[in-house]
Amino acid sequence: MKTNLDTQKFDFQIVKSSLLKLCTFAIGKERVETMSFFTDFNALESELSVTSEMLAALTDKEVAMPGAEMHDLRDQLMRIRIEGLFLDENELFTLRKSLDAFQQWQTYLKSLNAERYPRLRQLRQENDDLLKLVAEIDRILDKYGQLRDSASPALAAIRQTLLRSQNAVQKTLITILKQAQVEGIIDKDVSPTLREGRLVLPLPPMYKRKFGGIVHDESASGKTIFIEPQQVVEANNRIRELESDERRERVRILTEFADTLRPYLPQIQQSQTMLGTIDFIRAKALYAQQIGAIMPQLSDKPLVDWREARHPVLEQRLQAQGKQVVPLTIRLDDKNRILLISGPNAGGKSVCLKTVALLQYMLQTGMLIPVREDSNAGMFRQIMIDIGDEQSIEDDLSTYSSHLRNMKRFLLDADSRTLLLIDEFGGGTEPHIGGAIAEAILAELVKKNCFGVVTTHYDNLKHFAADTDGLQNGAMLYDRGQLKPLFQLSMGQPGSSFAIEIATQTGLPQSVIEHAKNLVGDEYIDYDRHLQDIARDKRYWENKRQQVRIREKQLEERIQQYDEKMASIKQKQKQMLTDAQQQAEELLRQSNVKIENTIRRIKQTNADKQETKTARQELETFKQQVQKIGAKNKEQGLKVKEQKTKEQPAKGQEITVGDIVRVAGQTMSGEVLAISGQQAEVAFGLMKSKVPLKKLEYVSRRQLKQQARTNIPSNIADSVRQKQLTFRDQLDVRGLRAKEAMEMITNYLDDAIMIGVSQVRILHGTGTGALRQMLRQMLENNTHIKAYYDAHPDSGGAGITIIDI
């Protein structure tokens, strides 16, 4: 990887700034600043995998991620390597919190599922010695980070003596204070206070000789002095001595504890490094969460196969403005290694180029990238860029000279594992020779089997790409009707610069535009128009193909639902038959038992009339119960049969070749192409499928028309709604050639008919009247046109044709 790559040119520095803000630990921020470009596949895969696992862990509700603070103690730990130096109480307490954060992360990593988070679990560093160290710190520090009295017997004794001395001085001062308050010398709300670490009384200056003692301070106004009465001077001196003893004992304890810490310094340093690694990985995962990034399928070969890739910095800027970025779908592989993008200015060429540069660089520094989940990404040995203006007064370099210097470097250093990114290839000099030099350089780069994305306006490069293996053209799409770029990349054909259309939109005089057309000639104008037509047609068929894919998926889902329902019904029917059979056998057994019991009862009573009558009544009651059960089973059987009948296709008529049919329960219709046995081959749009005849039902022409009116694909409906919002009821074709004007009018009328506009105006001017006549002939043959006529003389007259649709 070239170390002099200027990452600012594709916004990687902005990405790094975002990562730095997400880090909470100095070591994590240092890892961001020193991010390296991976060229080893295993190392890169490991870095991406652990980041991807951290991203998943952020939203895993089973185990809560630790939120403990991380503290950088490297300077303090380095200091106590020298014997006799120690950590003060605050530093020791901070170390305790850092070790606690380390232990929390160890516990968290250990609790993670080994199958879902294998890389994260590998970050664990089990260390029982550090647990013991935390216990040792807790032995001498309390929960507020202060030395405990029990840290040493000497410290406990000193503090007890100090407390007794302070209480004695306090009592003496209170006694003196109360006496002074009784005498009216001091106000009742006054209390002893501290000055220079000694307890004193606030008094008016006139009474200082009355009390005697040492004056330690006075107020700013001079109306109050702070005096240490003679009665407590000796006691305060004793307190100062005890405080000094306490400080010495604290230093002794902390110095002794530093000796205990010193053997563990390497392990503590490792824990700090581990926390920095976690902070770094977590920051990358949080950023991935913000931009919707994932880990694509990774290959160790050069490859760019991204679907719906988004430039994260641009996307965040547009979101702040309430707009959306247009995603990029691009593929560079062994067959088509270099993509040559052409199209209008401000159409998105440079954005495509910078998106590829930024995402590939992010990926190979171990960051997840915002692409669709079915995207694939490869690895490159180096990325080389030529983006922007690199002119230098100091080095006596013009813009074009700086480009040529970069091209020289590319030709010397590039190879089959290099990704080249060149913006405005060949620009900055006389177009004819600039295009020739660019083509020659491109030919050499193709021989080196480089990969790359190149933007240009030169036609000779477009032709060269079309005729050369390893190169492919790409076009930035442009809405010719609304004269605005779509910012969409279409691969496979070159793009038009739309110079004439943009010049017209900006209001350049028509005479100037016509003069320009005459200078370049009809051949160039026709070529440019054909490029536009190809782009438009390709976009149309891509939309159609997408609709077919949607329909195919819907058809597969419906067939699967049908099969599942039929299987469920058959299972229910089988279960009901089994239950009915068992119930019938049980009823038969009960009937036999009942009949035998009735006969036995009659015999035992010697055919007594009353007993016989009672037995007959009981038998009749049992018979009625059996009949009710039979009726219930029959009703359930009818329900199953009815449900099964609903799932069966209509039997309206026998299906033959050429009939319009649909799968039962579906809405999409198709034509029967062939019938073989019990199978029919049906064309559903562009898709052919073999379907059992029993699953098909006949669709009449009337049903087909009704379906066409109601089943509009959602993406077409969205397109219609968009056109309704932007459609204008007047089209201006003045100044265009007749052929161009008629083509634009045809597209305009198609849109008007599609969105249901009732009237439009075509502003064609008077001129020779040829364009007006051609328009009238075309309208005469259009069945959607009710009437057409000239505008009122006050509104344009024969220069405007009004059309009723």
Side-chain angles (χ1 to χ4, degrees), residues 245-285:
D245 292 342
E246 182 189 20
R247 281 194 297 273
R248 283 191 292 271
E249 180 62 17
R250 285 167 56 197
V251 170
R252 188 195 68 78
I253 293 170
L254 294 173
T255 303
E256 187 178 278
F257 195 81
D259 295 336
T260 304
L261 275 179
R262 207 163 281 116
Y264 298 103
L265 289 181
Q267 298 176 55
I268 298 172
Q269 292 279 19
Q270 288 178 2
S271 73
Q272 291 264 292
T273 302
M274 181 263 192
L275 289 175
T277 299
I278 287 178
D279 189 50
F280 172 59
I281 296 170
R282 183 176 59 181
K284 292 196 297 180

Short mmCIF file of all heavy atoms in Angstrom, two decimals, residues 245-285:
data_model
loop_
_atom_site.label_atom_id
_atom_site.label_comp_id
_atom_site.label_asym_id
_atom_site.label_seq_id
_atom_site.Cartn_x
_atom_site.Cartn_y
_atom_site.Cartn_z
N ASP A 245 2.16 13.46 60.77
CA ASP A 245 2.37 12.03 60.99
C ASP A 245 1.47 11.21 60.07
O ASP A 245 1.90 10.18 59.52
CB ASP A 245 2.08 11.68 62.46
CG ASP A 245 3.11 12.28 63.41
OD1 ASP A 245 4.20 12.66 62.93
OD2 ASP A 245 2.81 12.37 64.62
N GLU A 246 0.22 11.71 59.92
CA GLU A 246 -0.72 10.97 59.05
C GLU A 246 -0.23 10.97 57.60
O GLU A 246 -0.27 9.95 56.92
CB GLU A 246 -2.11 11.60 59.15
CG GLU A 246 -3.14 10.84 58.30
CD GLU A 246 -4.47 11.58 58.21
OE1 GLU A 246 -4.48 12.80 58.45
OE2 GLU A 246 -5.47 10.94 57.86
N ARG A 247 0.25 12.14 57.12
CA ARG A 247 0.75 12.22 55.75
C ARG A 247 1.92 11.28 55.54
O ARG A 247 2.01 10.58 54.52
CB ARG A 247 1.14 13.65 55.41
CG ARG A 247 -0.03 14.54 55.06
CD ARG A 247 0.44 15.84 54.40
NE ARG A 247 1.28 16.63 55.31
CZ ARG A 247 0.79 17.51 56.18
NH1 ARG A 247 -0.52 17.71 56.28
NH2 ARG A 247 1.63 18.20 56.97
N ARG A 248 2.83 11.24 56.49
CA ARG A 248 3.99 10.35 56.35
C ARG A 248 3.56 8.89 56.32
O ARG A 248 4.09 8.09 55.53
CB ARG A 248 4.98 10.60 57.50
CG ARG A 248 5.80 11.86 57.33
CD ARG A 248 6.93 11.89 58.34
NE ARG A 248 6.44 12.05 59.71
CZ ARG A 248 6.23 13.22 60.29
NH1 ARG A 248 6.45 14.35 59.64
NH2 ARG A 248 5.79 13.27 61.54
N GLU A 249 2.58 8.57 57.15
CA GLU A 249 2.11 7.18 57.18
C GLU A 249 1.39 6.82 55.87
O GLU A 249 1.54 5.71 55.36
CB GLU A 249 1.19 6.96 58.38
CG GLU A 249 0.64 5.53 58.52
CD GLU A 249 1.73 4.49 58.71
OE1 GLU A 249 2.89 4.85 59.06
OE2 GLU A 249 1.44 3.30 58.49
N ARG A 250 0.63 7.78 55.34
CA ARG A 250 -0.04 7.52 54.05
C ARG A 250 0.99 7.29 52.95
O ARG A 250 0.85 6.37 52.14
CB ARG A 250 -0.94 8.70 53.68
CG ARG A 250 -2.23 8.76 54.50
CD ARG A 250 -2.93 10.09 54.35
NE ARG A 250 -3.20 10.42 52.96
CZ ARG A 250 -3.50 11.64 52.52
NH1 ARG A 250 -3.49 12.65 53.38
NH2 ARG A 250 -3.76 11.85 51.24
N VAL A 251 2.02 8.12 52.91
CA VAL A 251 3.07 7.93 51.90
C VAL A 251 3.75 6.58 52.07
O VAL A 251 4.02 5.87 51.08
CB VAL A 251 4.11 9.08 51.98
CG1 VAL A 251 5.33 8.77 51.10
CG2 VAL A 251 3.48 10.39 51.55
N ARG A 252 3.99 6.21 53.33
CA ARG A 252 4.62 4.91 53.57
C ARG A 252 3.75 3.76 53.07
O ARG A 252 4.23 2.83 52.40
CB ARG A 252 4.88 4.74 55.08
CG ARG A 252 5.71 3.48 55.41
CD ARG A 252 5.63 3.18 56.89
NE ARG A 252 4.29 2.75 57.29
CZ ARG A 252 3.80 1.51 57.06
NH1 ARG A 252 4.51 0.63 56.41
NH2 ARG A 252 2.59 1.21 57.46
N ILE A 253 2.42 3.86 53.35
CA ILE A 253 1.50 2.80 52.91
C ILE A 253 1.45 2.73 51.39
O ILE A 253 1.52 1.64 50.78
CB ILE A 253 0.09 3.06 53.49
CG1 ILE A 253 0.11 2.90 55.01
CG2 ILE A 253 -0.93 2.12 52.86
CD1 ILE A 253 -1.18 3.37 55.69
N LEU A 254 1.32 3.89 50.72
CA LEU A 254 1.21 3.91 49.26
C LEU A 254 2.52 3.48 48.60
O LEU A 254 2.51 2.81 47.56
CB LEU A 254 0.81 5.32 48.79
CG LEU A 254 -0.59 5.78 49.20
CD1 LEU A 254 -0.81 7.25 48.83
CD2 LEU A 254 -1.66 4.91 48.55
N THR A 255 3.66 3.85 49.20
CA THR A 255 4.95 3.43 48.65
C THR A 255 5.10 1.91 48.78
O THR A 255 5.56 1.22 47.86
CB THR A 255 6.12 4.12 49.40
OG1 THR A 255 5.95 5.53 49.31
CG2 THR A 255 7.45 3.73 48.80
N GLU A 256 4.67 1.40 49.92
CA GLU A 256 4.72 -0.05 50.14
C GLU A 256 3.80 -0.76 49.15
O GLU A 256 4.14 -1.82 48.61
CB GLU A 256 4.32 -0.35 51.58
CG GLU A 256 4.50 -1.80 51.99
CD GLU A 256 4.13 -2.01 53.45
OE1 GLU A 256 4.97 -1.74 54.32
OE2 GLU A 256 2.98 -2.42 53.71
N PHE A 257 2.61 -0.16 48.91
CA PHE A 257 1.68 -0.79 47.96
C PHE A 257 2.22 -0.71 46.53
O PHE A 257 1.98 -1.60 45.72
CB PHE A 257 0.31 -0.10 48.03
CG PHE A 257 -0.78 -0.90 47.36
CD1 PHE A 257 -1.39 -1.95 48.01
CD2 PHE A 257 -1.17 -0.61 46.07
CE1 PHE A 257 -2.38 -2.70 47.39
CE2 PHE A 257 -2.16 -1.35 45.43
CZ PHE A 257 -2.76 -2.40 46.10
N ALA A 258 2.96 0.36 46.20
CA ALA A 258 3.58 0.46 44.88
C ALA A 258 4.55 -0.69 44.67
O ALA A 258 4.70 -1.22 43.56
CB ALA A 258 4.28 1.79 44.72
N ASP A 259 5.25 -1.11 45.74
CA ASP A 259 6.14 -2.27 45.65
C ASP A 259 5.34 -3.53 45.35
O ASP A 259 5.81 -4.42 44.62
CB ASP A 259 6.91 -2.44 46.96
CG ASP A 259 7.86 -1.27 47.23
OD1 ASP A 259 8.24 -0.59 46.25
OD2 ASP A 259 8.19 -1.04 48.40
N THR A 260 4.12 -3.59 45.90
CA THR A 260 3.24 -4.74 45.60
C THR A 260 2.77 -4.70 44.15
O THR A 260 2.65 -5.74 43.49
CB THR A 260 2.03 -4.72 46.55
OG1 THR A 260 2.47 -4.71 47.90
CG2 THR A 260 1.13 -5.92 46.32
N LEU A 261 2.50 -3.48 43.65
CA LEU A 261 2.00 -3.33 42.28
C LEU A 261 3.06 -3.64 41.23
O LEU A 261 2.75 -4.17 40.16
CB LEU A 261 1.52 -1.89 42.05
CG LEU A 261 0.10 -1.50 42.44
CD1 LEU A 261 -0.11 -0.02 42.13
CD2 LEU A 261 -0.91 -2.33 41.66
N ARG A 262 4.29 -3.30 41.51
CA ARG A 262 5.34 -3.30 40.49
C ARG A 262 5.45 -4.62 39.73
O ARG A 262 5.57 -4.61 38.50
CB ARG A 262 6.66 -2.90 41.14
CG ARG A 262 7.62 -2.23 40.19
CD ARG A 262 8.71 -1.48 40.93
NE ARG A 262 8.24 -0.20 41.43
CZ ARG A 262 8.16 0.13 42.70
NH1 ARG A 262 8.53 -0.73 43.63
NH2 ARG A 262 7.71 1.31 43.06
N PRO A 263 5.38 -5.78 40.35
CA PRO A 263 5.48 -7.03 39.58
C PRO A 263 4.30 -7.25 38.61
O PRO A 263 4.42 -8.01 37.65
CB PRO A 263 5.49 -8.11 40.67
CG PRO A 263 5.91 -7.41 41.91
CD PRO A 263 5.36 -6.03 41.80
N TYR A 264 3.17 -6.56 38.87
CA TYR A 264 1.98 -6.75 38.04
C TYR A 264 1.88 -5.73 36.89
O TYR A 264 0.91 -5.75 36.13
CB TYR A 264 0.71 -6.64 38.89
CG TYR A 264 0.60 -7.69 39.97
CD1 TYR A 264 0.88 -7.38 41.29
CD2 TYR A 264 0.22 -9.00 39.65
CE1 TYR A 264 0.78 -8.34 42.28
CE2 TYR A 264 0.12 -9.97 40.64
CZ TYR A 264 0.40 -9.63 41.96
OH TYR A 264 0.30 -10.59 42.93
N LEU A 265 2.86 -4.84 36.80
CA LEU A 265 2.76 -3.78 35.78
C LEU A 265 2.59 -4.31 34.36
O LEU A 265 1.77 -3.78 33.61
CB LEU A 265 3.98 -2.85 35.88
CG LEU A 265 4.04 -1.95 37.11
CD1 LEU A 265 5.28 -1.07 37.07
CD2 LEU A 265 2.79 -1.09 37.22
N PRO A 266 3.34 -5.34 33.93
CA PRO A 266 3.11 -5.86 32.56
C PRO A 266 1.68 -6.34 32.34
O PRO A 266 1.09 -6.11 31.29
CB PRO A 266 4.13 -7.01 32.45
CG PRO A 266 5.20 -6.67 33.44
CD PRO A 266 4.48 -6.01 34.57
N GLN A 267 1.11 -7.01 33.35
CA GLN A 267 -0.27 -7.49 33.21
C GLN A 267 -1.26 -6.33 33.19
O GLN A 267 -2.26 -6.39 32.45
CB GLN A 267 -0.59 -8.45 34.37
CG GLN A 267 0.30 -9.68 34.40
CD GLN A 267 0.02 -10.55 35.60
OE1 GLN A 267 -1.11 -10.95 35.84
NE2 GLN A 267 1.07 -10.84 36.39
N ILE A 268 -0.99 -5.30 33.99
CA ILE A 268 -1.87 -4.13 33.97
C ILE A 268 -1.80 -3.44 32.61
O ILE A 268 -2.82 -3.01 32.05
CB ILE A 268 -1.50 -3.16 35.11
CG1 ILE A 268 -1.68 -3.84 36.47
CG2 ILE A 268 -2.36 -1.91 35.03
CD1 ILE A 268 -1.16 -3.02 37.63
N GLN A 269 -0.57 -3.36 32.06
CA GLN A 269 -0.41 -2.76 30.73
C GLN A 269 -1.19 -3.55 29.69
O GLN A 269 -1.83 -2.97 28.80
CB GLN A 269 1.08 -2.72 30.35
CG GLN A 269 1.92 -1.77 31.18
CD GLN A 269 1.81 -0.33 30.70
OE1 GLN A 269 0.88 0.03 30.00
NE2 GLN A 269 2.75 0.50 31.10
N GLN A 270 -1.17 -4.87 29.80
CA GLN A 270 -1.93 -5.71 28.86
C GLN A 270 -3.43 -5.45 28.99
O GLN A 270 -4.16 -5.43 27.99
CB GLN A 270 -1.63 -7.18 29.13
CG GLN A 270 -0.24 -7.62 28.69
CD GLN A 270 0.03 -9.08 29.01
OE1 GLN A 270 -0.83 -9.78 29.52
NE2 GLN A 270 1.25 -9.52 28.74
N SER A 271 -3.89 -5.27 30.22
CA SER A 271 -5.32 -4.99 30.41
C SER A 271 -5.68 -3.65 29.79
O SER A 271 -6.77 -3.51 29.20
CB SER A 271 -5.66 -5.00 31.91
OG SER A 271 -5.16 -3.84 32.56
N GLN A 272 -4.78 -2.68 29.87
CA GLN A 272 -5.03 -1.39 29.25
C GLN A 272 -5.10 -1.52 27.72
O GLN A 272 -5.97 -0.95 27.06
CB GLN A 272 -3.91 -0.42 29.63
CG GLN A 272 -3.91 -0.01 31.09
CD GLN A 272 -4.61 1.30 31.34
OE1 GLN A 272 -4.16 2.37 30.93
NE2 GLN A 272 -5.76 1.25 31.99
N THR A 273 -4.18 -2.30 27.17
CA THR A 273 -4.16 -2.52 25.72
C THR A 273 -5.43 -3.22 25.27
O THR A 273 -6.02 -2.88 24.24
CB THR A 273 -2.94 -3.36 25.33
OG1 THR A 273 -1.75 -2.68 25.75
CG2 THR A 273 -2.89 -3.57 23.82
N MET A 274 -5.87 -4.20 26.06
CA MET A 274 -7.08 -4.94 25.72
C MET A 274 -8.31 -4.02 25.74
O MET A 274 -9.16 -4.05 24.85
CB MET A 274 -7.27 -6.10 26.70
CG MET A 274 -8.49 -6.95 26.42
SD MET A 274 -9.88 -6.46 27.48
CE MET A 274 -10.99 -7.82 27.20
N LEU A 275 -8.38 -3.13 26.74
CA LEU A 275 -9.49 -2.18 26.80
C LEU A 275 -9.46 -1.22 25.61
O LEU A 275 -10.50 -0.85 25.06
CB LEU A 275 -9.45 -1.40 28.11
CG LEU A 275 -9.81 -2.17 29.38
CD1 LEU A 275 -9.61 -1.30 30.61
CD2 LEU A 275 -11.23 -2.70 29.32
N GLY A 276 -8.24 -0.82 25.21
CA GLY A 276 -8.12 0.04 24.03
C GLY A 276 -8.60 -0.66 22.77
O GLY A 276 -9.26 -0.05 21.92
N THR A 277 -8.29 -1.95 22.65
CA THR A 277 -8.75 -2.73 21.48
C THR A 277 -10.27 -2.82 21.46
O THR A 277 -10.90 -2.63 20.42
CB THR A 277 -8.14 -4.14 21.53
OG1 THR A 277 -6.72 -4.05 21.48
CG2 THR A 277 -8.63 -4.98 20.35
N ILE A 278 -10.86 -3.07 22.62
CA ILE A 278 -12.32 -3.17 22.69
C ILE A 278 -12.96 -1.82 22.36
O ILE A 278 -13.96 -1.75 21.62
CB ILE A 278 -12.75 -3.63 24.10
CG1 ILE A 278 -12.44 -5.12 24.27
CG2 ILE A 278 -14.23 -3.36 24.34
CD1 ILE A 278 -12.77 -5.67 25.63
N ASP A 279 -12.39 -0.73 22.87
CA ASP A 279 -12.92 0.60 22.59
C ASP A 279 -12.85 0.90 21.09
O ASP A 279 -13.80 1.46 20.52
CB ASP A 279 -12.13 1.64 23.38
CG ASP A 279 -12.76 3.02 23.32
OD1 ASP A 279 -13.97 3.14 23.57
OD2 ASP A 279 -12.03 3.98 23.00
N PHE A 280 -11.78 0.52 20.45
CA PHE A 280 -11.58 0.72 19.01
C PHE A 280 -12.60 -0.08 18.20
O PHE A 280 -13.27 0.44 17.30
CB PHE A 280 -10.15 0.31 18.65
CG PHE A 280 -9.86 0.30 17.18
CD1 PHE A 280 -10.00 1.44 16.40
CD2 PHE A 280 -9.43 -0.87 16.57
CE1 PHE A 280 -9.71 1.42 15.04
CE2 PHE A 280 -9.14 -0.90 15.21
CZ PHE A 280 -9.29 0.24 14.45
N ILE A 281 -12.75 -1.35 18.55
CA ILE A 281 -13.69 -2.22 17.82
C ILE A 281 -15.12 -1.74 18.04
O ILE A 281 -15.94 -1.71 17.11
CB ILE A 281 -13.52 -3.69 18.27
CG1 ILE A 281 -12.13 -4.20 17.88
CG2 ILE A 281 -14.60 -4.57 17.64
CD1 ILE A 281 -11.79 -5.55 18.47
N ARG A 282 -15.43 -1.35 19.28
CA ARG A 282 -16.79 -0.88 19.57
C ARG A 282 -17.09 0.40 18.80
O ARG A 282 -18.21 0.59 18.30
CB ARG A 282 -16.95 -0.65 21.07
CG ARG A 282 -18.36 -0.23 21.48
CD ARG A 282 -18.50 -0.11 22.97
NE ARG A 282 -17.56 0.87 23.52
CZ ARG A 282 -17.47 1.17 24.81
NH1 ARG A 282 -18.21 0.53 25.70
NH2 ARG A 282 -16.60 2.09 25.23
N ALA A 283 -16.11 1.31 18.67
CA ALA A 283 -16.33 2.54 17.91
C ALA A 283 -16.63 2.21 16.44
O ALA A 283 -17.51 2.82 15.83
CB ALA A 283 -15.09 3.44 18.01
N LYS A 284 -15.90 1.26 15.86
CA LYS A 284 -16.16 0.86 14.47
C LYS A 284 -17.56 0.25 14.34
O LYS A 284 -18.26 0.50 13.34
CB LYS A 284 -15.10 -0.13 14.00
CG LYS A 284 -13.72 0.46 13.84
CD LYS A 284 -12.79 -0.43 13.03
CE LYS A 284 -12.55 -1.76 13.69
NZ LYS A 284 -11.66 -2.62 12.90
N ALA A 285 -17.96 -0.54 15.33
CA ALA A 285 -19.29 -1.15 15.28
C ALA A 285 -20.39 -0.09 15.42
O ALA A 285 -21.42 -0.16 14.74
CB ALA A 285 -19.43 -2.21 16.37
#
